[in-house]
Amino acid sequence: EVTGVQTCALPILGYSITMAQETIDTNCMTLTRFILAEQKKHAKGGTGDLTQLLSSLQSAIKAVSAAVRRAGISQLFGVAGDVNVQGEEVKKLDVLANDLFINMLRSSYASCLLISEENENEIEVETERQGKYIVTFDPLDGSSNIDCLVSIGSIFAIFKKPHEGQLAPGDSLQSGRQIVAAGYALYGSATMIVLSAGHGVNGFMLDPSIGEFVLTDPEMTCKPRGKIYSINEGYEEHWEEAVKEYVKSKKQGSNPYGGRYIGSMVADVHRTLKYGGIFMYPATAANPSGKLRVLYECMPMAYIMEQAGGLASDGQKPILDLVPKKLHERSPIFLGSREDVEDVLAVIKKHRV
């Protein structure tokens, strides 16, 4: 680490602010270096395909991050004039992010099947480029927040093709317990990747000065109980009675929970992971199966949360035990600190007896 620190005085509006030039770590743990070290530690004799796939995802996320930062200047705000398979207006950044993810994953030579929120059908990679992994992803989650500069993100999960030979129908409809690696990128005050490959959760911040993701949050864990609940209370009249009772209980007593809801799943889940508490998107009368998608929203976040010591449930069983029957299947979700999730599950069970 270079420790020679110089200071410089910047005159701003008549004030002089002394700023220390940051030290330079000459031996920092970048995401690429971390992935290679994990491969050596946990997959001796491996092919390196997963490493290559994660490297391609990293490149896509860097490109999306750059586009997000320049969106206003490059006229990327607003809608593209289409409606996606979910019935949502497609934003220009959505289209760009989706193309970036698809192109980078196709050219990784490690994937064979791609499932995107933006595409109705599976995307089969050309035979000569196929590898052994199936990737599910939401290239830009929280699209409704793009134009007002609220944090947005990308979510992904990686599965292994369940058999040798050619792809078969249903290969992408696997249990969450088959996930090989999962994570998300958050484009907020900084760009961060939170990643797990089955051996804990680690967070990497993008250092724009060197263009690399650097390990800043090693071995992330979710505290057993938090003090924050996160839910869209605008739908309260449409919740089942158990959810109403639980949320009401969090507002009562001498030490009530704080309510926080951003409306971008990545931002809400990231806060829950860092500070503890519970994130909920329950079923409503209008959406009896919930609203969040199983394969590329619920499962990746559930995987991260379980790896960090938390829980994620659909109200009856763990999210990772679900086996979807269709690509864009939806599910309710209750996710976060172990004790908080157990509390809401106890209330739901009481009401269903």
mmCIF file of all heavy atoms in Angstrom, residues 301-351:
data_model
loop_
_atom_site.group_PDB
_atom_site.id
_atom_site.type_symbol
_atom_site.label_atom_id
_atom_site.label_comp_id
_atom_site.label_asym_id
_atom_site.label_seq_id
_atom_site.Cartn_x
_atom_site.Cartn_y
_atom_site.Cartn_z
ATOM 1 N N MET A 301 -32.185 -13.833 -4.743
ATOM 2 C CA MET A 301 -32.162 -13.099 -3.479
ATOM 3 C C MET A 301 -32.290 -14.053 -2.286
ATOM 4 O O MET A 301 -31.669 -13.843 -1.238
ATOM 5 C CB MET A 301 -33.288 -12.061 -3.458
ATOM 6 C CG MET A 301 -33.087 -10.937 -4.455
ATOM 7 S SD MET A 301 -31.445 -10.181 -4.316
ATOM 8 C CE MET A 301 -31.737 -8.606 -5.109
ATOM 9 N N ALA A 302 -33.101 -15.105 -2.433
ATOM 10 C CA ALA A 302 -33.229 -16.101 -1.370
ATOM 11 C C ALA A 302 -31.901 -16.819 -1.142
ATOM 12 O O ALA A 302 -31.509 -17.105 -0.001
ATOM 13 C CB ALA A 302 -34.326 -17.102 -1.728
ATOM 14 N N TYR A 303 -31.205 -17.120 -2.234
ATOM 15 C CA TYR A 303 -29.906 -17.799 -2.140
ATOM 16 C C TYR A 303 -28.897 -16.939 -1.382
ATOM 17 O O TYR A 303 -28.219 -17.410 -0.463
ATOM 18 C CB TYR A 303 -29.402 -18.094 -3.559
ATOM 19 C CG TYR A 303 -28.130 -18.907 -3.627
ATOM 20 C CD1 TYR A 303 -28.167 -20.291 -3.514
ATOM 21 C CD2 TYR A 303 -26.891 -18.302 -3.821
ATOM 22 C CE1 TYR A 303 -26.997 -21.057 -3.587
ATOM 23 C CE2 TYR A 303 -25.726 -19.050 -3.903
ATOM 24 C CZ TYR A 303 -25.785 -20.427 -3.783
ATOM 25 O OH TYR A 303 -24.642 -21.172 -3.853
ATOM 26 N N ILE A 304 -28.832 -15.669 -1.745
ATOM 27 C CA ILE A 304 -27.924 -14.734 -1.057
ATOM 28 C C ILE A 304 -28.290 -14.651 0.422
ATOM 29 O O ILE A 304 -27.418 -14.724 1.307
ATOM 30 C CB ILE A 304 -27.998 -13.335 -1.709
ATOM 31 C CG1 ILE A 304 -27.346 -13.341 -3.094
ATOM 32 C CG2 ILE A 304 -27.351 -12.274 -0.816
ATOM 33 C CD1 ILE A 304 -25.845 -13.460 -3.096
ATOM 34 N N MET A 305 -29.575 -14.501 0.721
ATOM 35 C CA MET A 305 -30.005 -14.321 2.105
ATOM 36 C C MET A 305 -29.718 -15.564 2.940
ATOM 37 O O MET A 305 -29.269 -15.464 4.084
ATOM 38 C CB MET A 305 -31.489 -13.956 2.142
ATOM 39 C CG MET A 305 -31.928 -13.308 3.429
ATOM 40 S SD MET A 305 -31.008 -11.818 3.900
ATOM 41 C CE MET A 305 -31.591 -10.636 2.688
ATOM 42 N N GLU A 306 -29.980 -16.751 2.390
ATOM 43 C CA GLU A 306 -29.689 -17.978 3.139
ATOM 44 C C GLU A 306 -28.186 -18.148 3.358
ATOM 45 O O GLU A 306 -27.747 -18.559 4.433
ATOM 46 C CB GLU A 306 -30.273 -19.200 2.423
ATOM 47 C CG GLU A 306 -31.779 -19.338 2.591
ATOM 48 C CD GLU A 306 -32.266 -20.765 2.331
ATOM 49 O OE1 GLU A 306 -31.430 -21.681 2.165
ATOM 50 O OE2 GLU A 306 -33.501 -20.959 2.301
ATOM 51 N N GLN A 307 -27.387 -17.818 2.348
ATOM 52 C CA GLN A 307 -25.932 -17.906 2.496
ATOM 53 C C GLN A 307 -25.416 -16.941 3.562
ATOM 54 O O GLN A 307 -24.380 -17.171 4.170
ATOM 55 C CB GLN A 307 -25.250 -17.620 1.154
ATOM 56 C CG GLN A 307 -25.328 -18.744 0.148
ATOM 57 C CD GLN A 307 -24.448 -19.918 0.525
ATOM 58 O OE1 GLN A 307 -23.328 -19.745 0.976
ATOM 59 N NE2 GLN A 307 -24.959 -21.133 0.345
ATOM 60 N N ALA A 308 -26.173 -15.849 3.781
ATOM 61 C CA ALA A 308 -25.769 -14.851 4.773
ATOM 62 C C ALA A 308 -26.381 -15.135 6.146
ATOM 63 O O ALA A 308 -26.208 -14.337 7.074
ATOM 64 C CB ALA A 308 -26.187 -13.456 4.303
ATOM 65 N N GLY A 309 -27.096 -16.256 6.285
ATOM 66 C CA GLY A 309 -27.646 -16.628 7.577
ATOM 67 C C GLY A 309 -29.088 -16.227 7.788
ATOM 68 O O GLY A 309 -29.636 -16.423 8.876
ATOM 69 N N GLY A 310 -29.719 -15.660 6.759
ATOM 70 C CA GLY A 310 -31.118 -15.260 6.866
ATOM 71 C C GLY A 310 -32.047 -16.321 6.330
ATOM 72 O O GLY A 310 -31.646 -17.477 6.094
ATOM 73 N N LEU A 311 -33.305 -15.944 6.126
ATOM 74 C CA LEU A 311 -34.309 -16.857 5.597
ATOM 75 C C LEU A 311 -35.079 -16.186 4.471
ATOM 76 O O LEU A 311 -35.160 -14.961 4.400
ATOM 77 C CB LEU A 311 -35.312 -17.262 6.688
ATOM 78 C CG LEU A 311 -34.848 -18.221 7.791
ATOM 79 C CD1 LEU A 311 -35.990 -18.447 8.773
ATOM 80 C CD2 LEU A 311 -34.375 -19.542 7.223
ATOM 81 N N ALA A 312 -35.681 -17.012 3.615
ATOM 82 C CA ALA A 312 -36.562 -16.516 2.552
ATOM 83 C C ALA A 312 -37.640 -17.557 2.313
ATOM 84 O O ALA A 312 -37.334 -18.727 2.071
ATOM 85 C CB ALA A 312 -35.778 -16.258 1.273
ATOM 86 N N SER A 313 -38.900 -17.130 2.407
ATOM 87 C CA SER A 313 -40.025 -18.058 2.296
ATOM 88 C C SER A 313 -41.124 -17.452 1.437
ATOM 89 O O SER A 313 -41.215 -16.231 1.296
ATOM 90 C CB SER A 313 -40.578 -18.362 3.696
ATOM 91 O OG SER A 313 -41.780 -19.106 3.624
ATOM 92 N N ASP A 314 -41.977 -18.334 0.886
ATOM 93 C CA ASP A 314 -43.157 -17.846 0.167
ATOM 94 C C ASP A 314 -44.362 -17.756 1.104
ATOM 95 O O ASP A 314 -45.483 -17.488 0.678
ATOM 96 C CB ASP A 314 -43.470 -18.733 -1.040
ATOM 97 C CG ASP A 314 -43.962 -20.131 -0.644
ATOM 98 O OD1 ASP A 314 -43.922 -20.467 0.559
ATOM 99 O OD2 ASP A 314 -44.383 -20.889 -1.542
ATOM 100 N N GLY A 315 -44.126 -18.006 2.385
ATOM 101 C CA GLY A 315 -45.193 -18.007 3.382
ATOM 102 C C GLY A 315 -45.530 -19.406 3.865
ATOM 103 O O GLY A 315 -46.118 -19.582 4.926
ATOM 104 N N GLN A 316 -45.127 -20.412 3.045
ATOM 105 C CA GLN A 316 -45.383 -21.801 3.422
ATOM 106 C C GLN A 316 -44.115 -22.636 3.421
ATOM 107 O O GLN A 316 -43.927 -23.490 4.282
ATOM 108 C CB GLN A 316 -46.407 -22.411 2.464
ATOM 109 C CG GLN A 316 -47.777 -21.763 2.544
ATOM 110 C CD GLN A 316 -48.802 -22.471 1.660
ATOM 111 O OE1 GLN A 316 -48.630 -23.628 1.276
ATOM 112 N NE2 GLN A 316 -49.878 -21.780 1.331
ATOM 113 N N LYS A 317 -43.254 -22.401 2.448
ATOM 114 C CA LYS A 317 -42.004 -23.166 2.399
ATOM 115 C C LYS A 317 -40.887 -22.288 1.872
ATOM 116 O O LYS A 317 -41.133 -21.217 1.283
ATOM 117 C CB LYS A 317 -42.173 -24.412 1.535
ATOM 118 C CG LYS A 317 -42.532 -24.152 0.081
ATOM 119 C CD LYS A 317 -42.707 -25.487 -0.638
ATOM 120 C CE LYS A 317 -43.132 -25.306 -2.086
ATOM 121 N NZ LYS A 317 -43.306 -26.585 -2.770
ATOM 122 N N PRO A 318 -39.632 -22.697 2.078
ATOM 123 C CA PRO A 318 -38.497 -21.889 1.617
ATOM 124 C C PRO A 318 -38.568 -21.639 0.111
ATOM 125 O O PRO A 318 -38.917 -22.527 -0.663
ATOM 126 C CB PRO A 318 -37.279 -22.740 1.982
ATOM 127 C CG PRO A 318 -37.744 -23.591 3.125
ATOM 128 C CD PRO A 318 -39.190 -23.886 2.840
ATOM 129 N N ILE A 319 -38.221 -20.433 -0.291
ATOM 130 C CA ILE A 319 -38.211 -20.067 -1.713
ATOM 131 C C ILE A 319 -37.339 -21.031 -2.515
ATOM 132 O O ILE A 319 -37.693 -21.433 -3.637
ATOM 133 C CB ILE A 319 -37.704 -18.618 -1.894
ATOM 134 C CG1 ILE A 319 -38.734 -17.604 -1.371
ATOM 135 C CG2 ILE A 319 -37.352 -18.336 -3.353
ATOM 136 C CD1 ILE A 319 -39.990 -17.456 -2.194
ATOM 137 N N LEU A 320 -36.208 -21.439 -1.953
ATOM 138 C CA LEU A 320 -35.272 -22.296 -2.700
ATOM 139 C C LEU A 320 -35.798 -23.719 -2.890
ATOM 140 O O LEU A 320 -35.244 -24.479 -3.673
ATOM 141 C CB LEU A 320 -33.904 -22.330 -2.007
ATOM 142 C CG LEU A 320 -33.141 -21.000 -1.991
ATOM 143 C CD1 LEU A 320 -31.781 -21.162 -1.325
ATOM 144 C CD2 LEU A 320 -32.967 -20.438 -3.413
ATOM 145 N N ASP A 321 -36.877 -24.075 -2.188
ATOM 146 C CA ASP A 321 -37.486 -25.399 -2.387
ATOM 147 C C ASP A 321 -38.498 -25.397 -3.526
ATOM 148 O O ASP A 321 -38.973 -26.461 -3.934
ATOM 149 C CB ASP A 321 -38.182 -25.863 -1.103
ATOM 150 C CG ASP A 321 -37.194 -26.287 -0.025
ATOM 151 O OD1 ASP A 321 -36.001 -26.437 -0.347
ATOM 152 O OD2 ASP A 321 -37.615 -26.458 1.142
ATOM 153 N N LEU A 322 -38.842 -24.210 -4.028
ATOM 154 C CA LEU A 322 -39.816 -24.131 -5.116
ATOM 155 C C LEU A 322 -39.237 -24.717 -6.401
ATOM 156 O O LEU A 322 -38.042 -24.602 -6.665
ATOM 157 C CB LEU A 322 -40.217 -22.671 -5.372
ATOM 158 C CG LEU A 322 -40.898 -21.904 -4.225
ATOM 159 C CD1 LEU A 322 -41.153 -20.459 -4.647
ATOM 160 C CD2 LEU A 322 -42.198 -22.584 -3.814
ATOM 161 N N VAL A 323 -40.093 -25.343 -7.184
ATOM 162 C CA VAL A 323 -39.723 -25.811 -8.530
ATOM 163 C C VAL A 323 -40.732 -25.178 -9.493
ATOM 164 O O VAL A 323 -41.874 -25.634 -9.590
ATOM 165 C CB VAL A 323 -39.760 -27.347 -8.644
ATOM 166 C CG1 VAL A 323 -39.338 -27.771 -10.058
ATOM 167 C CG2 VAL A 323 -38.870 -27.988 -7.605
ATOM 168 N N PRO A 324 -40.339 -24.122 -10.187
ATOM 169 C CA PRO A 324 -41.300 -23.420 -11.054
ATOM 170 C C PRO A 324 -41.778 -24.295 -12.204
ATOM 171 O O PRO A 324 -41.046 -25.157 -12.693
ATOM 172 C CB PRO A 324 -40.501 -22.214 -11.562
ATOM 173 C CG PRO A 324 -39.073 -22.606 -11.418
ATOM 174 C CD PRO A 324 -39.006 -23.516 -10.231
ATOM 175 N N LYS A 325 -43.018 -24.041 -12.615
ATOM 176 C CA LYS A 325 -43.587 -24.793 -13.735
ATOM 177 C C LYS A 325 -43.545 -24.002 -15.043
ATOM 178 O O LYS A 325 -43.801 -24.545 -16.108
ATOM 179 C CB LYS A 325 -45.034 -25.191 -13.416
ATOM 180 C CG LYS A 325 -45.144 -26.173 -12.252
ATOM 181 C CD LYS A 325 -46.594 -26.531 -11.971
ATOM 182 C CE LYS A 325 -46.719 -27.616 -10.913
ATOM 183 N NZ LYS A 325 -46.159 -27.220 -9.599
ATOM 184 N N LYS A 326 -43.240 -22.712 -14.934
ATOM 185 C CA LYS A 326 -43.098 -21.888 -16.139
ATOM 186 C C LYS A 326 -42.027 -20.829 -15.900
ATOM 187 O O LYS A 326 -41.681 -20.518 -14.760
ATOM 188 C CB LYS A 326 -44.433 -21.252 -16.525
ATOM 189 C CG LYS A 326 -45.107 -20.462 -15.419
ATOM 190 C CD LYS A 326 -46.482 -19.984 -15.872
ATOM 191 C CE LYS A 326 -47.160 -19.185 -14.752
ATOM 192 N NZ LYS A 326 -48.503 -18.705 -15.138
ATOM 193 N N LEU A 327 -41.525 -20.265 -16.994
ATOM 194 C CA LEU A 327 -40.371 -19.365 -16.915
ATOM 195 C C LEU A 327 -40.630 -18.145 -16.044
ATOM 196 O O LEU A 327 -39.769 -17.743 -15.261
ATOM 197 C CB LEU A 327 -39.954 -18.901 -18.319
ATOM 198 C CG LEU A 327 -39.372 -19.949 -19.262
ATOM 199 C CD1 LEU A 327 -38.988 -19.295 -20.581
ATOM 200 C CD2 LEU A 327 -38.173 -20.643 -18.646
ATOM 201 N N HIS A 328 -41.776 -17.525 -16.216
ATOM 202 C CA HIS A 328 -42.035 -16.261 -15.541
ATOM 203 C C HIS A 328 -43.009 -16.421 -14.377
ATOM 204 O O HIS A 328 -43.779 -15.516 -14.057
ATOM 205 C CB HIS A 328 -42.553 -15.237 -16.557
ATOM 206 C CG HIS A 328 -41.600 -14.996 -17.693
ATOM 207 N ND1 HIS A 328 -40.420 -14.300 -17.541
ATOM 208 C CD2 HIS A 328 -41.636 -15.391 -18.995
ATOM 209 C CE1 HIS A 328 -39.781 -14.254 -18.706
ATOM 210 N NE2 HIS A 328 -40.496 -14.924 -19.595
ATOM 211 N N GLU A 329 -42.946 -17.582 -13.742
ATOM 212 C CA GLU A 329 -43.802 -17.848 -12.587
ATOM 213 C C GLU A 329 -43.512 -16.850 -11.462
ATOM 214 O O GLU A 329 -42.371 -16.431 -11.258
ATOM 215 C CB GLU A 329 -43.553 -19.279 -12.101
ATOM 216 C CG GLU A 329 -44.510 -19.751 -11.026
ATOM 217 C CD GLU A 329 -44.375 -21.250 -10.790
ATOM 218 O OE1 GLU A 329 -44.427 -22.013 -11.783
ATOM 219 O OE2 GLU A 329 -44.224 -21.646 -9.628
ATOM 220 N N ARG A 330 -44.569 -16.488 -10.735
ATOM 221 C CA ARG A 330 -44.444 -15.515 -9.652
ATOM 222 C C ARG A 330 -44.642 -16.179 -8.297
ATOM 223 O O ARG A 330 -45.201 -17.276 -8.206
ATOM 224 C CB ARG A 330 -45.476 -14.390 -9.831
ATOM 225 C CG ARG A 330 -45.329 -13.618 -11.143
ATOM 226 C CD ARG A 330 -46.494 -12.654 -11.349
ATOM 227 N NE ARG A 330 -46.487 -12.064 -12.674
ATOM 228 C CZ ARG A 330 -46.058 -10.841 -12.958
ATOM 229 N NH1 ARG A 330 -45.594 -10.069 -11.981
ATOM 230 N NH2 ARG A 330 -46.090 -10.374 -14.187
ATOM 231 N N SER A 331 -44.218 -15.467 -7.254
ATOM 232 C CA SER A 331 -44.378 -15.999 -5.904
ATOM 233 C C SER A 331 -44.401 -14.863 -4.898
ATOM 234 O O SER A 331 -43.711 -13.849 -5.084
ATOM 235 C CB SER A 331 -43.223 -16.952 -5.568
ATOM 236 O OG SER A 331 -43.260 -17.323 -4.194
ATOM 237 N N PRO A 332 -45.169 -15.018 -3.795
ATOM 238 C CA PRO A 332 -44.993 -14.087 -2.676
ATOM 239 C C PRO A 332 -43.613 -14.328 -2.068
ATOM 240 O O PRO A 332 -43.028 -15.410 -2.257
ATOM 241 C CB PRO A 332 -46.094 -14.507 -1.689
ATOM 242 C CG PRO A 332 -46.970 -15.471 -2.422
ATOM 243 C CD PRO A 332 -46.157 -16.062 -3.521
ATOM 244 N N ILE A 333 -43.090 -13.363 -1.329
ATOM 245 C CA ILE A 333 -41.792 -13.573 -0.687
ATOM 246 C C ILE A 333 -41.704 -12.815 0.630
ATOM 247 O O ILE A 333 -42.190 -11.682 0.753
ATOM 248 C CB ILE A 333 -40.631 -13.171 -1.634
ATOM 249 C CG1 ILE A 333 -39.285 -13.594 -1.042
ATOM 250 C CG2 ILE A 333 -40.643 -11.681 -1.947
ATOM 251 C CD1 ILE A 333 -38.122 -13.524 -2.023
ATOM 252 N N PHE A 334 -41.120 -13.483 1.628
ATOM 253 C CA PHE A 334 -40.818 -12.909 2.939
ATOM 254 C C PHE A 334 -39.352 -13.235 3.196
ATOM 255 O O PHE A 334 -38.989 -14.413 3.318
ATOM 256 C CB PHE A 334 -41.710 -13.517 4.017
ATOM 257 C CG PHE A 334 -43.183 -13.348 3.744
ATOM 258 C CD1 PHE A 334 -43.868 -14.293 2.983
ATOM 259 C CD2 PHE A 334 -43.877 -12.252 4.224
ATOM 260 C CE1 PHE A 334 -45.221 -14.149 2.709
ATOM 261 C CE2 PHE A 334 -45.234 -12.093 3.950
ATOM 262 C CZ PHE A 334 -45.900 -13.036 3.193
ATOM 263 N N LEU A 335 -38.523 -12.230 3.273
ATOM 264 C CA LEU A 335 -37.073 -12.437 3.203
ATOM 265 C C LEU A 335 -36.356 -11.523 4.196
ATOM 266 O O LEU A 335 -36.745 -10.367 4.359
ATOM 267 C CB LEU A 335 -36.645 -12.171 1.771
ATOM 268 C CG LEU A 335 -35.216 -11.962 1.321
ATOM 269 C CD1 LEU A 335 -35.108 -12.323 -0.165
ATOM 270 C CD2 LEU A 335 -34.756 -10.527 1.518
ATOM 271 N N GLY A 336 -35.315 -12.037 4.858
ATOM 272 C CA GLY A 336 -34.528 -11.175 5.737
ATOM 273 C C GLY A 336 -33.963 -11.900 6.936
ATOM 274 O O GLY A 336 -33.618 -13.091 6.865
ATOM 275 N N SER A 337 -33.877 -11.188 8.059
ATOM 276 C CA SER A 337 -33.324 -11.745 9.293
ATOM 277 C C SER A 337 -34.116 -12.989 9.716
ATOM 278 O O SER A 337 -35.350 -13.011 9.639
ATOM 279 C CB SER A 337 -33.379 -10.707 10.415
ATOM 280 O OG SER A 337 -32.551 -9.600 10.119
ATOM 281 N N ARG A 338 -33.390 -14.001 10.162
ATOM 282 C CA ARG A 338 -33.999 -15.296 10.477
ATOM 283 C C ARG A 338 -35.175 -15.161 11.457
ATOM 284 O O ARG A 338 -36.267 -15.682 11.214
ATOM 285 C CB ARG A 338 -32.924 -16.220 11.069
ATOM 286 C CG ARG A 338 -33.426 -17.581 11.501
ATOM 287 C CD ARG A 338 -32.278 -18.480 11.907
ATOM 288 N NE ARG A 338 -31.443 -18.781 10.761
ATOM 289 C CZ ARG A 338 -31.650 -19.786 9.915
ATOM 290 N NH1 ARG A 338 -32.707 -20.580 10.092
ATOM 291 N NH2 ARG A 338 -30.855 -20.001 8.897
ATOM 292 N N GLU A 339 -34.990 -14.455 12.551
ATOM 293 C CA GLU A 339 -36.038 -14.370 13.577
ATOM 294 C C GLU A 339 -37.231 -13.563 13.077
ATOM 295 O O GLU A 339 -38.385 -13.883 13.394
ATOM 296 C CB GLU A 339 -35.469 -13.755 14.856
ATOM 297 C CG GLU A 339 -34.452 -14.660 15.550
ATOM 298 C CD GLU A 339 -33.804 -13.989 16.757
ATOM 299 O OE1 GLU A 339 -34.334 -12.960 17.230
ATOM 300 O OE2 GLU A 339 -32.753 -14.495 17.211
ATOM 301 N N ASP A 340 -36.991 -12.529 12.287
ATOM 302 C CA ASP A 340 -38.094 -11.734 11.746
ATOM 303 C C ASP A 340 -38.941 -12.556 10.779
ATOM 304 O O ASP A 340 -40.173 -12.480 10.800
ATOM 305 C CB ASP A 340 -37.551 -10.483 11.048
ATOM 306 C CG ASP A 340 -37.045 -9.439 12.029
ATOM 307 O OD1 ASP A 340 -37.769 -9.137 12.991
ATOM 308 O OD2 ASP A 340 -35.931 -8.932 11.844
ATOM 309 N N VAL A 341 -38.298 -13.329 9.924
ATOM 310 C CA VAL A 341 -39.044 -14.170 8.979
ATOM 311 C C VAL A 341 -39.800 -15.263 9.729
ATOM 312 O O VAL A 341 -40.956 -15.568 9.412
ATOM 313 C CB VAL A 341 -38.102 -14.769 7.907
ATOM 314 C CG1 VAL A 341 -38.866 -15.726 6.991
ATOM 315 C CG2 VAL A 341 -37.457 -13.666 7.069
ATOM 316 N N GLU A 342 -39.170 -15.850 10.744
ATOM 317 C CA GLU A 342 -39.857 -16.870 11.540
ATOM 318 C C GLU A 342 -41.099 -16.292 12.213
ATOM 319 O O GLU A 342 -42.127 -16.961 12.322
ATOM 320 C CB GLU A 342 -38.898 -17.445 12.583
ATOM 321 C CG GLU A 342 -37.855 -18.379 11.986
ATOM 322 C CD GLU A 342 -36.794 -18.817 12.986
ATOM 323 O OE1 GLU A 342 -36.707 -18.187 14.081
ATOM 324 O OE2 GLU A 342 -36.050 -19.770 12.696
ATOM 325 N N ASP A 343 -41.019 -15.021 12.642
ATOM 326 C CA ASP A 343 -42.176 -14.371 13.279
ATOM 327 C C ASP A 343 -43.360 -14.266 12.318
ATOM 328 O O ASP A 343 -44.489 -14.596 12.673
ATOM 329 C CB ASP A 343 -41.795 -12.965 13.763
ATOM 330 C CG ASP A 343 -40.933 -12.988 15.012
ATOM 331 O OD1 ASP A 343 -40.774 -14.076 15.601
ATOM 332 O OD2 ASP A 343 -40.415 -11.915 15.406
ATOM 333 N N VAL A 344 -43.101 -13.780 11.101
ATOM 334 C CA VAL A 344 -44.215 -13.620 10.155
ATOM 335 C C VAL A 344 -44.759 -14.983 9.731
ATOM 336 O O VAL A 344 -45.967 -15.152 9.543
ATOM 337 C CB VAL A 344 -43.804 -12.765 8.932
ATOM 338 C CG1 VAL A 344 -42.887 -13.515 7.984
ATOM 339 C CG2 VAL A 344 -45.044 -12.287 8.170
ATOM 340 N N LEU A 345 -43.895 -15.991 9.617
ATOM 341 C CA LEU A 345 -44.359 -17.330 9.249
ATOM 342 C C LEU A 345 -45.246 -17.919 10.343
ATOM 343 O O LEU A 345 -46.220 -18.627 10.057
ATOM 344 C CB LEU A 345 -43.163 -18.254 8.976
ATOM 345 C CG LEU A 345 -42.312 -17.919 7.747
ATOM 346 C CD1 LEU A 345 -41.173 -18.920 7.594
ATOM 347 C CD2 LEU A 345 -43.159 -17.888 6.479
ATOM 348 N N ALA A 346 -44.923 -17.612 11.604
ATOM 349 C CA ALA A 346 -45.738 -18.096 12.714
ATOM 350 C C ALA A 346 -47.136 -17.486 12.666
ATOM 351 O O ALA A 346 -48.146 -18.168 12.930
ATOM 352 C CB ALA A 346 -45.051 -17.767 14.051
ATOM 353 N N VAL A 347 -47.217 -16.187 12.323
ATOM 354 C CA VAL A 347 -48.518 -15.524 12.224
ATOM 355 C C VAL A 347 -49.324 -16.110 11.066
ATOM 356 O O VAL A 347 -50.532 -16.377 11.178
ATOM 357 C CB VAL A 347 -48.344 -13.995 12.041
ATOM 358 C CG1 VAL A 347 -49.703 -13.320 11.861
ATOM 359 C CG2 VAL A 347 -47.620 -13.392 13.240
ATOM 360 N N ILE A 348 -48.657 -16.334 9.921
ATOM 361 C CA ILE A 348 -49.337 -16.916 8.750
ATOM 362 C C ILE A 348 -49.861 -18.325 9.087
ATOM 363 O O ILE A 348 -51.001 -18.680 8.772
ATOM 364 C CB ILE A 348 -48.382 -16.971 7.543
ATOM 365 C CG1 ILE A 348 -48.069 -15.557 7.043
ATOM 366 C CG2 ILE A 348 -48.972 -17.819 6.411
ATOM 367 C CD1 ILE A 348 -46.971 -15.490 6.001
ATOM 368 N N LYS A 349 -49.026 -19.117 9.766
ATOM 369 C CA LYS A 349 -49.425 -20.488 10.124
ATOM 370 C C LYS A 349 -50.623 -20.458 11.070
ATOM 371 O O LYS A 349 -51.551 -21.266 10.939
ATOM 372 C CB LYS A 349 -48.241 -21.198 10.791
ATOM 373 C CG LYS A 349 -48.502 -22.664 11.089
ATOM 374 C CD LYS A 349 -47.257 -23.329 11.648
ATOM 375 C CE LYS A 349 -47.518 -24.809 11.925
ATOM 376 N NZ LYS A 349 -46.319 -25.491 12.489
ATOM 377 N N LYS A 350 -50.633 -19.536 12.022
ATOM 378 C CA LYS A 350 -51.744 -19.409 12.974
ATOM 379 C C LYS A 350 -53.062 -19.142 12.255
ATOM 380 O O LYS A 350 -54.111 -19.702 12.586
ATOM 381 C CB LYS A 350 -51.436 -18.275 13.957
ATOM 382 C CG LYS A 350 -52.522 -18.041 15.002
ATOM 383 C CD LYS A 350 -52.189 -16.841 15.864
ATOM 384 C CE LYS A 350 -52.433 -15.533 15.111
ATOM 385 N NZ LYS A 350 -52.248 -14.345 15.977
ATOM 386 N N HIS A 351 -52.998 -18.291 11.225
ATOM 387 C CA HIS A 351 -54.206 -17.934 10.494
ATOM 388 C C HIS A 351 -54.687 -19.041 9.561
ATOM 389 O O HIS A 351 -55.859 -19.058 9.175
ATOM 390 C CB HIS A 351 -53.978 -16.649 9.675
ATOM 391 C CG HIS A 351 -54.136 -15.393 10.481
ATOM 392 N ND1 HIS A 351 -55.276 -14.634 10.442
ATOM 393 C CD2 HIS A 351 -53.296 -14.780 11.357
ATOM 394 C CE1 HIS A 351 -55.140 -13.584 11.264
ATOM 395 N NE2 HIS A 351 -53.942 -13.653 11.815
#
